[in-house]
Amino acid sequence: MLYYEDELLVAIDVPYISTTFAIEKPTWIKCNVKLTKEGLQIKFVDEVFTIPFTTIEYSNRILSHSVINSIQFTSKYSFFIVIDHRKNATIGYENILFSTLLAGNKTEIYKLRYFLTAILGLQVDPLLKNLTVEEVRLLSLIDDNVRNVEQLTAIFDENKDLLYRTFYALVSKSLVDDRATLTSTGLLIIRKVKGIDDAKKSNETELKDKIDEVVKLWDDSEKSIIKDNKNKVYLKYGESSLSGSVLTEDIWRFLPLKEIKETKIEDLKESGLGLVMSTTYDSSIFLRAYDDSVIFTLKGLLDKKDDIQIRILYCLYLGIVEETSILSILDIKAHTFLEQHQQMEKMGILDNRIISNRGLDLIHKMIKGYCTVLLIYRDVSTRRLEHMRMDNSKKVVIDKLKQKHDKFRNNISSTIY
């Protein structure tokens, strides 16, 4: 498989380049460079030189300014990559390190760097070699001043144990201290991850591109962590019965909500809480939800005597977000919904049809009220509510990070134009 191919300037088998000392003038040769499944293949006029992936120790290592200046001056290129690889020694049995330099235009060098990192992973970078993806992520968050445990837990998909293990791993590696302050080594890694060192060697336009790349890294983190499990539903009329499993956000599509005339919550000791519903055509429906909060909010949604704003809140909580569906289920006019929705946004209960933490607190309070009235004194499950709360915290973190990078990007744009 061919991952990459281009014409680059190459200096082969340079004795291992120190990070602190200068180097002798390297001999540059224009070669055809290929990246295949076997390794990095460099083709001269009548010779092919291959660096197997298994022999590569480091890639894109940070060098001293004197070395960088020497490489850029002799190659006439600002962009380059250094690859440190093992090779059999002429004398003795030990393998020794050599450095191979490749220089070219920005696009090709960045492309080569990308494929090398994708194939070899973090281990080829001397700074990132011993770091996990989670450790790099947490280090970046701390650098962006995100230290709230609830928000960090949301980013780590609600796995608090993983968050704490990752933090103590960073402390043990002397990348942060006990107060979550980055050490000099931690700062160096952050500069590496965000490409700040490369950006300094480029112009402002290249720096803007770099920042855009950083923002894109958070796209996968924006995915919702709400786990919508299936609920058991039983329908019965006379001797006929029907049973099945329905996702919470599909309940309204399967049950005749407008035809339900009575509801009752039953506490079944073997299987927990259940909602019994009777319809206008004398059939009965039993719902056993994976989460008790679904039982309480569905009952409140069906209670026509309840406050209309609370019922709208319950609709959104159960995944009913289309305006036409809400209007039909609640039997209200569009202008009524618009007025109530605007009031709820002003109160901070909703944010563009997403329930805010204040709205979730209100739902939690209503559930506790139901428990008091029904004399239910044991803990009821509110997993869906907690997942929504974590989603909100996660969104706050992502928005802050993007705003910070957007502001930085805009500042760079203003200096360019």
Side-chain angles (χ1 to χ4, degrees):
M1 179 180 289
L2 182 65
Y3 300 103
Y4 168 94
E5 181 177 10
D6 197 38
E7 296 286 330
L8 297 174
L9 281 185
V10 182
I12 295 176
D13 282 358
V14 178
Y16 179 68
I17 300 173
S18 168
T19 58
T20 55
F21 299 104
I23 60 172
E24 295 182 6
K25 183 179 178 181
T27 302
W28 295 99
I29 305 173
K30 193 165 188 178
C31 303
N32 176 266
V33 178
K34 292 182 180 179
L35 200 58
T36 69
K37 64 180 181 179
E38 285 79 23
L40 187 68
Q41 186 184 95
I42 302 168
K43 185 176 182 181
F44 298 91
V45 178
D46 55 356
E47 184 182 358
V48 176
F49 176 81
T50 301
I51 303 176
F53 289 137
T54 54
T55 66
I56 296 177
E57 287 287 329
Y58 303 130
S59 172
N60 196 29
R61 181 162 47 90
I62 294 177
L63 302 173
S64 66
H65 290 297
S66 59
V67 173
I68 291 172
N69 291 337
S70 176
I71 293 172
Q72 291 177 335
F73 178 77
T74 56
S75 69
K76 309 302 181 185
Y77 280 105
S78 298
F79 297 91
F80 64 90
I81 184 170
V82 55
I83 297 174
D84 300 319
H85 54 97
R86 297 188 308 275
K87 191 175 178 182
N88 291 332
T90 306
I91 301 174
Y93 300 98
E94 296 292 329
N95 290 334
I96 59 175
L97 277 179
F98 283 87
S99 299
T100 292
L101 305 171
L102 302 101
N105 62 47
K106 173 190 171 185
T107 302
E108 294 306 324
I109 293 298
Y110 271 47
K111 190 186 299 183
L112 179 57
R113 286 183 189 178
Y114 169 80
F115 280 114
L116 276 173
T117 304
I119 294 169
L120 299 175
L122 297 178
Q123 72 269 20
V124 299
D125 192 301
L127 276 177
L128 305 179
K129 184 175 182 180
N130 297 317
L131 293 183
T132 65
V133 174
E134 290 79 14
E135 288 166 358
V136 173
R137 182 192 302 173
L138 182 56
L139 206 60
S140 299
L141 288 166
I142 292 174
D143 177 61
D144 282 307
N145 205 31
V146 180
R147 288 177 169 79
N148 182 280
V149 174
E150 182 180 343
Q151 294 175 339
L152 288 171
T153 305
I155 293 294
F156 277 74
D157 293 331
E158 209 176 349
N159 191 334
K160 190 171 287 187
D161 288 338
L162 176 60
L163 171 62
Y164 286 141
R165 287 200 308 271
T166 304
F167 174 73
Y168 288 123
L170 293 179
V171 173
S172 67
K173 294 175 181 179
S174 300
L175 302 180
V176 298
D177 60 21
D178 293 335
R179 297 183 179 181
T181 301
L182 268 67
T183 64
S184 57
T185 307
L187 287 169
L188 190 61
I189 288 177
I190 288 299
R191 293 173 67 85
K192 185 79 169 180
V193 170
K194 295 186 176 181
I196 294 175
D197 291 305
D198 289 330
K200 280 185 175 180
K201 292 178 283 185
S202 62
N203 57 36
E204 286 87 350
T205 303
E206 291 155 3
L207 178 56
K208 183 175 179 294
D209 292 338
K210 277 282 184 183
I211 296 168
D212 289 338
E213 290 174 11
V214 172
V215 174
K216 289 177 183 177
L217 292 176
W218 298 101
D219 288 344
D220 288 340
S221 298
E222 291 183 321
K223 295 177 182 177
S224 174
I225 62 173
I226 298 175
K227 299 172 184 176
D228 191 10
N229 296 324
K230 291 182 178 180
N231 309 280
K232 299 294 184 181
V233 179
Y234 304 90
L235 292 86
K236 191 174 187 306
Y237 175 76
E239 298 298 318
S240 301
S241 63
L242 189 67
S243 65
S245 299
V246 182
L247 291 171
T248 300
E249 298 189 357
D250 291 333
I251 287 177
W252 66 279
R253 300 180 187 275
F254 285 86
L255 301 187
L257 300 184
K258 295 184 69 175
E259 303 299 328
I260 294 174
K261 61 180 181 180
E262 292 181 358
T263 60
K264 181 182 177 182
I265 292 180
E266 291 190 353
D267 191 358
L268 307 175
K269 293 183 179 179
E270 291 91 8
S271 57
L273 298 179
L275 182 63
V276 180
M277 296 162 274
S278 58
T279 69
T280 55
Y281 38 83
D282 297 328
S283 64
S284 59
I285 304 171
F286 176 76
L287 173 69
R288 174 67 189 101
Y290 79 97
D291 181 33
D292 295 332
S293 68
V294 174
I295 297 289
F296 290 108
T297 51
L298 182 58
K299 177 176 173 56
L301 167 63
L302 297 171
D303 186 356
K304 296 181 180 179
K305 296 179 183 178
D306 210 337
D307 181 84
I308 189 63
Q309 290 188 1
I310 295 296
R311 296 179 70 200
I312 291 174
L313 207 57
Y314 289 157
C315 279
L316 298 174
Y317 183 79
L318 294 172
I320 310 171
V321 296
E322 298 172 1
E323 183 175 331
T324 53
S325 302
I326 295 174
L327 297 180
S328 176
I329 292 171
L330 300 183
D331 193 24
I332 58 176
K333 301 295 183 183
H335 67 86
T336 301
F337 172 74
L338 180 60
E339 289 175 357
Q340 300 297 333
H341 187 275
Q342 289 175 342
Q343 289 181 21
M344 294 167 77
E345 284 200 332
K346 288 180 180 178
M347 295 164 61
I349 295 174
L350 294 181
D351 180 13
N352 194 25
R353 299 199 187 177
I354 295 176
I355 305 175
S356 66
N357 282 350
R358 179 176 291 184
L360 293 173
D361 289 341
L362 180 57
I363 291 176
H364 202 187
K365 182 178 179 181
M366 296 297 295
I367 291 174
K368 286 184 177 180
Y370 283 132
C371 290
T372 301
V373 171
L374 297 172
L375 303 179
I376 299 174
Y377 298 111
R378 63 177 178 81
D379 290 335
V380 297
S381 59
T382 56
R383 283 171 289 180
R384 184 175 177 84
L385 188 146
E386 294 308 318
H387 286 156
M388 284 187 172
R389 198 187 302 278
M390 295 295 289
D391 251 7
N392 287 345
S393 297
K394 193 174 185 177
K395 185 176 183 298
V396 169
V397 175
I398 298 299
D399 286 347
K400 284 182 178 178
L401 291 171
K402 286 195 171 183
Q403 286 172 11
K404 180 175 180 179
H405 288 296
D406 284 344
K407 183 178 180 181
F408 192 17
R409 186 177 58 224
N410 291 334
N411 289 339
I412 294 298
S413 297
S414 64
T415 62
I416 296 173
Y417 303 107

